[in-house]
């Protein structure tokens, strides 16, 4: 059975994705959009960690979250590019002139949504639904 915490984290991830989508305007700093996207990805991965039966660490380090998923037997090869978002969690939030990575915001939002859908299916499967 999936942890209720996994479902709760996924609800918050959806809220963070909604915020990221509201920041798609190119006039909005990439660092602000990236923070919202990072929050979405972080919570989605933490929900997935719960589904594996583990407790996610109290960290915003996506690489560490992916390592926990790998240790639980999840193939994370296609998820490794998400590690780039860890820098938005702290570094870019406190940098007054952050480097613009020129990320495709629409594509990353779509990828985040697909990840949410994937984890939601895992939660439903683990819950027997």
């Amino acid at each position: 059975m999936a942890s209720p915490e996994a479902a709760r984290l996924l609800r918050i991830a959806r809220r963070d994705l909604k915020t990221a989508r509201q920041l798609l305007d190119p006039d909005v700093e990439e660092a602000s959009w990236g923070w919202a996207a990072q929050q979405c990805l972080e919570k989605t991965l933490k929900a997935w960690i719960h589904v594996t039966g583990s407790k996610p660490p109290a960290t915003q380090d996506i690489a560490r979250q992916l390592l926990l998923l790998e240790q639980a037997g999840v193939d994370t090869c296609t998820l490794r590019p998400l590690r780039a978002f860890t820098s938005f969690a702290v570094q870019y939030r406190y940098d007054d002139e952050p480097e613009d990575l020129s990320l495709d915001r629409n594509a990353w939002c779509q990828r985040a949504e697909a990840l949410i859908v994937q984890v939601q299916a895992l939660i439903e499967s683990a819950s027997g639904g």
Side-chain angles (χ1 to χ4, degrees):
M1 175 162 229
S3 161
E5 183 66 7
R8 186 184 78 80
L9 285 167
L10 216 52
R11 286 191 301 273
I12 299 169
R14 284 188 180 95
R15 183 179 67 204
D16 292 334
L17 178 58
K18 183 177 180 180
T19 300
R21 285 192 168 129
Q22 291 171 340
L23 299 173
L24 289 174
D25 184 330
D27 288 336
V28 172
E29 296 274 342
E30 185 181 60
S32 297
W33 165 83
W35 179 79
Q38 184 280 335
Q39 290 291 295
C40 170
L41 296 167
E42 173 190 336
K43 290 175 184 87
T44 304
L45 293 175
K46 285 182 176 181
W48 195 345
I49 292 168
H50 273 291
V51 172
T52 69
S54 297
K55 184 176 179 182
T59 181
Q60 296 178 320
D61 185 347
I62 290 177
R64 187 165 172 211
Q65 294 164 5
L66 292 175
L67 180 60
L68 285 173
L69 287 171
E70 287 174 17
Q71 291 171 349
V74 175
D75 180 2
T76 63
C77 288
T78 61
L79 300 173
R80 289 186 185 142
L82 302 181
R83 295 179 297 191
F85 281 85
T86 296
S87 59
F88 287 108
V90 178
Q91 179 183 344
Y92 288 170
R93 284 182 51 212
Y94 293 97
D95 188 345
D96 63 335
E97 293 183 24
E99 174 186 357
D100 187 340
L101 302 177
S102 299
L103 297 173
D104 183 336
R105 297 182 197 189
N106 279 311
W108 278 108
C109 284
Q110 289 172 1
R111 186 163 187 187
E113 182 173 13
L115 186 60
I116 288 171
V117 168
Q118 180 181 0
V119 174
Q120 180 66 48
L122 293 170
I123 290 170
E124 291 170 3
S125 177
S127 297

